[in-house]
Amino acid sequence: MKIARFSRIGFILAAAGSAVGLGNIWKFPYITGEYGGGAFVLVYLLTVLLVGFSIMIAEMLIGYLGRKDTVSSFEELAPTYKDLWKFGGFQAMAGLLIMIFYSVVIGWIFNYIITSLEYLPANVKEAETTFNLMLQSDFFTQLFYHTLSFVIITYTLTKGIKAGIEKINLVLMPALMIILSGMFIYSLSLDAFPKAVEFMFAADWSKLNSEAFVIAVGHAFFTLSLGMGAIMTYAASMEKGSNIVKSAFWVVFLDTSIAIVAGLMLFTFLYQYGSGPAKGPGLVFISLPAAFYEMGILGNIFAVLFFLALAFAGLTSAVSLTEPMVQYFMDRFAFSRVKASVLMGLFFWFFGIFAILSNIDGTKEYLFWGGKSFFDWIDYITAAIMLPAGGFIMAIFVGYVLEKSRVEAALKPFLKWAFEPWYFFLRYIIPIAMFVVMLNLMGVL
Ligand code: PHE
């Protein structure tokens, strides 16, 4: 059987497609608003550059050398304790868990693409009412679009690496970049642009409490798709002899620049036409449409384009969140691709219904514990706990378990003099840094 592999550009676009997602355009701006801007952005940026980039190389390496699903790759590469190490691969489950709310949010976006064609809310109050109406009482609209998202994602996965995953990324990623650049260039011409720059980059350290710190680090993992096996699974289909370091660099670079461009653009629109940086998940669904309203018909066009770009970003990430478990069932249980894709799709579709219900009046009371809804819990457990933990395991695995000679052989040609510093970083600095994050997480610090 001929094994399908990504082309070089296909791999970079697919990995970048995984990284650039709702995390960049929906989540990053609103958590930046929530945690006060500048200082939060700096912690996120530092984590991305120092920790994220190093772990990205490590995760790609495991996939590239292992060539299989995440569980088998860990198992195969571990020189001893194979049965124990294979559990590192079960992190792939986190992807399906994330999909439970991710697919629902993609559904909201589909809904907004359609409604923005002819309607925009006249002010923030109205926008809030519209959004809450959908969120809290319109179960069927949410179910309909969540199902649509399930169909597109599952269909893409059934087509496989080349005709499914590579293809959707080759089309949607450039489209996304064109739309965002166009809107960004427009935002440069607005008076409010410098205000947005200031909000995002002027650090007010007093706003950075330990929760903000944990969220910023967690977000760095989430936005780079790290710690879960998405990048690992894609890397298993990389061409032999690929430059892992260069690919990792491009993914980090594209992901970070798109987050910053999207953030600057959104905050500019919000300062110029709206009420400034709003907080919470409603930011792009509430404050932004109200700001677009002020722009007249151009606002409708912008709104539709913006939500299209957001949908593109979300879909390419969603595919990568589901693929690791699809690959797992294909490799370990000899499922056909179609069967594995449909089964995994049905999993997140089914539990996604509970994510919807956890916001609906009348049912949400039953899906709410300890100050968070089912929806929020899944987000919190995956992004703040599972992904950093997964990244930690990968760093330890590449730093201590894999034979150094293998790591060196695969990376030294590309990292050159930077190999030893990178290796040192992975072995000593990252574990300590992650430990501090975990202490923070447990509220010890
Ligand atoms: N990186 C994606 C985003 O920013 C989400 C994601 C997380 C995808 C983990 C794959 C793995 O939206």
Side-chain angles (χ1 to χ4, degrees):
M1 192 177 81
K2 194 176 167 307
I3 300 171
R5 298 236 182 282
F6 286 113
S7 67
R8 281 179 196 213
I9 179 76
F11 173 76
I12 292 178
L13 278 183
S18 168
V20 178
L22 303 182
N24 302 57
I25 312 176
W26 165 64
K27 211 170 166 197
F28 176 62
Y30 90 70
I31 53 179
T32 299
E34 207 155 75
Y35 293 100
F40 178 83
V41 175
L42 275 175
V43 175
Y44 150 80
L45 280 179
L46 280 178
T47 314
V48 163
L49 295 180
L50 296 176
V51 180
F53 184 42
S54 298
I55 296 189
M56 174 76 69
I57 296 176
E59 179 166 347
M60 271 188 195
L61 181 72
I62 302 175
Y64 175 79
L65 292 176
R67 305 257 111 193
K68 291 220 171 80
D69 69 281
T70 52
V71 175
S72 312
S73 289
F74 268 104
E75 189 179 49
E76 197 126 306
L77 295 177
T80 49
Y81 299 113
K82 288 181 183 290
D83 275 343
L84 192 68
W85 276 110
K86 81 173 186 217
F87 281 96
F90 285 115
Q91 268 297 112
M93 266 307 294
L96 280 189
L97 293 181
I98 293 173
M99 279 306 293
I100 292 173
F101 71 87
Y102 214 84
S103 169
V104 173
V105 179
I106 295 178
W108 299 348
I109 298 165
F110 285 155
N111 183 25
Y112 270 69
I113 298 175
I114 305 293
T115 54
S116 305
L117 281 170
E118 45 177 29
Y119 164 81
L120 285 175
N123 50 50
V124 175
K125 190 110 209 67
E126 189 183 320
E128 210 171 332
T129 314
T130 313
F131 179 71
N132 286 336
L133 212 65
M134 172 193 78
L135 187 74
Q136 292 163 4
S137 22
D138 201 346
F139 173 73
F140 287 103
T141 300
Q142 290 189 73
L143 179 65
F144 174 76
Y145 286 113
H146 164 54
T147 307
L148 180 64
S149 145
F150 150 77
V151 170
I152 298 176
I153 294 159
T154 308
Y155 176 76
T156 308
L157 287 167
T158 60
K159 294 278 156 198
I161 294 282
K162 270 275 178 208
I165 299 175
E166 178 163 319
K167 198 154 164 200
I168 195 176
N169 279 290
L170 282 178
V171 177
L172 297 190
M173 283 308 283
L176 159 83
M177 290 185 225
I178 292 170
I179 296 177
L180 280 186
S181 326
M183 290 180 69
F184 178 67
I185 291 172
Y186 180 85
S187 78
L188 282 175
S189 73
L190 299 174
D191 298 336
F193 187 77
K195 265 195 179 161
V197 175
E198 190 183 319
F199 178 70
M200 275 185 67
F201 296 107
D204 176 356
W205 295 104
S206 67
K207 290 206 176 118
L208 197 81
N209 53 24
S210 73
E211 178 174 325
F213 179 77
V214 169
I215 299 286
V217 175
H219 184 67
F221 279 84
F222 185 85
T223 191
L224 291 175
S225 301
L226 287 178
M228 178 234 111
I231 296 292
M232 191 185 293
T233 304
Y234 279 4
S237 298
M238 246 176 153
E239 266 176 24
K240 277 260 177 280
S242 294
N243 185 335
I244 294 179
V245 178
K246 199 159 117 193
S247 307
F249 169 80
W250 273 106
V251 176
V252 173
F253 174 76
L254 284 172
D255 187 73
T256 312
S257 16
I258 290 180
I260 290 175
V261 162
L264 285 175
M265 170 196 97
L266 286 177
F267 290 125
T268 304
F269 282 124
L270 293 179
Y271 276 119
Q272 183 86 19
Y273 297 109
S275 44
K279 304 175 170 124
L283 187 140
V284 305
F285 296 105
I286 297 173
S287 327
L288 193 68
F292 282 143
Y293 174 84
E294 300 294 322
M295 301 166 71
I297 181 77
L298 186 66
N300 288 79
I301 299 173
F302 270 27
V304 171
L305 284 175
F306 172 78
F307 286 114
L308 263 181
L310 194 52
F312 293 170
L315 287 171
T316 50
S317 300
V319 165
S320 80
L321 282 159
T322 319
E323 170 70 5
M325 285 307 284
V326 170
Q327 197 69 52
Y328 170 74
F329 276 97
M330 286 165 58
D331 284 356
R332 308 283 293 203
F333 299 100
F335 277 30
S336 71
R337 181 168 264 287
V338 172
K339 187 169 158 196
S341 308
V342 172
L343 223 65
M344 296 308 109
L346 284 174
F347 178 93
F348 73 72
W349 179 79
F350 179 75
F351 286 101
I353 294 175
F354 292 91
I356 299 177
L357 289 174
S358 79
N359 289 318
I360 295 277
D361 289 330
T363 48
K364 70 175 172 213
E365 294 74 17
Y366 302 101
L367 292 156
F368 189 90
W369 314 271
K372 284 192 189 1
S373 64
F374 173 64
F375 187 109
D376 294 339
W377 270 116
I378 300 258
D379 178 18
Y380 183 73
I381 292 174
T382 49
I385 304 176
M386 293 182 82
L387 300 186
F392 180 73
I393 294 173
M394 291 170 195
I396 299 286
F397 189 75
V398 174
Y400 292 93
V401 180
L402 261 185
E403 297 91 339
K404 187 175 182 191
S405 54
R406 292 191 78 174
V407 181
E408 215 169 339
L411 295 179
K412 195 136 190 200
F414 308 118
L415 274 171
K416 304 202 172 72
W417 61 266
F419 178 79
E420 287 300 335
W422 168 80
Y423 198 62
F424 179 85
F425 205 77
L426 201 68
R427 285 166 65 96
Y428 302 105
I429 310 295
I430 290 182
I432 295 172
M434 300 303 291
F435 189 67
V436 174
V437 174
M438 285 176 205
L439 286 184
N440 255 301
L441 187 67
M442 293 185 289
V444 176
L445 281 183

